[in-house]
Amino acid sequence: MIPVLKRLAANKTALTGAIISVLVAFAVVFGPMISPYDGDSMDVMAMLAPPSLAHPFGTDTMGRDVLTRVLYGARLSLLISISGVGVAAVLGSMIGLFIAYRPGFFSNVLMKASDLLFSFPSFVLALFLMVVLGYGVFNVALAIALIYLPIFVRLARNLAQLIVMEPWVQAAKLFGQPTHSILLRELLPNALSPLLVQATIGVAFGIVIEAGVSFLGLGVQPPAPSLGLVMSDGREYFNTAPWVLTMTGLAISIALLGLNLLGDGLRDLTDPKLKERLS
């Protein structure tokens, strides 16, 4: 544990990303409990109040505290993103490893299906999936999973193709280890570093996808909180109260910055060459 912390402290990118991510996670988890306001409580005497000590992000047209609504919305958006990317990472990684280890007709079919999904721009595919699947929290998470599934399939396959011919993999095959054992014990650990980086970055862009589709009214629906819904409300009166949209966008940007820096730092920390230089 101590060597990991030393490498983390030595890597400024990883340390900065970890600090920002921890602060954001703390705010998302405990912020709504600490806030003196409720996400849906209205104050007609404080409608469209600009940012102040009482309301750091200002209030909306119903007098609701924007910061509190952002914290509630971030909690749901983060949960949706982690769920969708997590499913895509686990399923996509195993499919990619299997394709590399057992090439054949079935593997080619899986790869062609993955390429078909990968050929669509991410946000265009998200909009299409939301129209097909329908609205709601579960369907947004499912759409994110389907968007990132081919990314993990291709990444895991490319990594495994470099590992599958290594002597220890061939030895495990000669000793009669079953396919699932080779995939989990020989291929996956050696491909884990880039997959973790992609998962971290995927969570960041999953938040963007959720916010985007909800902003357009195709994702999470009221009264459930969502960053996209908060921004959508602020769009209607941006000229008179720009803080609702801008403060929410700033909060999303800070969260994305932390996750992206953390992803880059994880890549460096799990790089064997970097480990040797820092050891």
Side-chain angles (χ1 to χ4, degrees):
M1 184 66 180
I2 299 300
V4 174
L5 293 178
K6 287 183 178 179
R7 293 200 303 272
L8 178 64
N11 189 305
K12 294 182 180 179
T13 301
L15 183 61
T16 304
I19 291 173
I20 295 175
S21 299
V22 169
L23 291 176
V24 170
F26 181 85
V28 169
V29 174
F30 298 103
M33 305 177 190
I34 301 174
S35 175
Y37 308 103
D38 184 81
D40 294 323
S41 62
M42 294 179 285
D43 184 1
V44 295
M45 301 301 295
M47 293 188 302
L48 294 181
S52 62
L53 291 178
H55 302 282
F57 282 16
T59 62
D60 59 14
T61 52
M62 299 182 183
R64 297 173 296 188
D65 183 64
V66 176
L67 176 58
T68 303
R69 286 179 56 76
V70 167
L71 293 175
Y72 276 104
R75 179 183 292 182
L76 180 60
S77 297
L78 188 61
L79 178 62
I80 291 173
S81 180
I82 291 176
S83 300
V85 174
V87 171
V90 173
L91 186 58
S93 297
M94 296 313 299
I95 293 175
L97 295 177
F98 177 81
I99 291 174
Y101 181 69
R102 284 291 181 87
F105 175 77
F106 183 62
S107 295
N108 289 335
V109 172
L110 291 176
M111 199 63 222
K112 293 300 182 184
S114 174
D115 290 340
L116 179 62
L117 288 174
F118 190 75
S119 63
F120 292 95
S122 298
F123 197 71
V124 174
L125 181 58
L127 295 177
F128 172 76
L129 290 173
M130 293 314 303
V131 172
V132 173
L133 298 173
Y135 311 147
V137 173
F138 177 80
N139 287 340
V140 176
L142 180 58
I144 293 174
L146 291 175
I147 290 169
Y148 278 96
L149 181 66
I151 296 176
F152 283 101
V153 169
R154 293 168 66 90
L155 178 59
R157 183 205 61 174
N158 293 341
L159 293 169
Q161 284 178 337
L162 301 175
I163 302 170
V164 72
M165 298 307 296
E166 293 291 340
W168 68 84
V169 178
Q170 296 301 313
K173 189 175 181 179
L174 290 174
F175 279 116
Q177 288 192 25
T179 299
H180 71 274
S181 177
I182 294 177
L183 296 182
L184 294 175
R185 297 177 60 182
E186 309 297 339
L187 297 182
L188 182 59
N190 290 282
L192 194 57
S193 170
L195 292 173
L196 284 176
V197 174
Q198 182 59 58
T200 305
I201 297 174
V203 170
F205 284 97
I207 295 174
V208 175
I209 291 173
E210 185 283 321
V213 295
S214 297
F215 180 82
L216 296 176
L218 299 175
V220 179
Q221 299 296 302
S226 165
L227 291 175
L229 290 178
V230 177
M231 295 182 69
S232 181
D233 292 340
R235 172 188 56 181
E236 299 179 2
Y237 41 87
F238 179 76
N239 291 331
T240 56
W243 50 82
V244 179
L245 190 59
T246 54
M247 288 298 190
T248 306
L250 179 62
I252 294 176
S253 299
I254 293 174
L256 298 184
L257 175 64
L259 287 170
N260 279 287
L261 290 177
L262 180 59
D264 290 341
L266 284 176
R267 178 196 58 200
D268 296 338
L269 288 174
T270 53
D271 189 330
K273 296 180 181 178
L274 183 63
K275 287 182 180 180
E276 293 177 2
R277 292 199 299 268
L278 295 178
S279 59

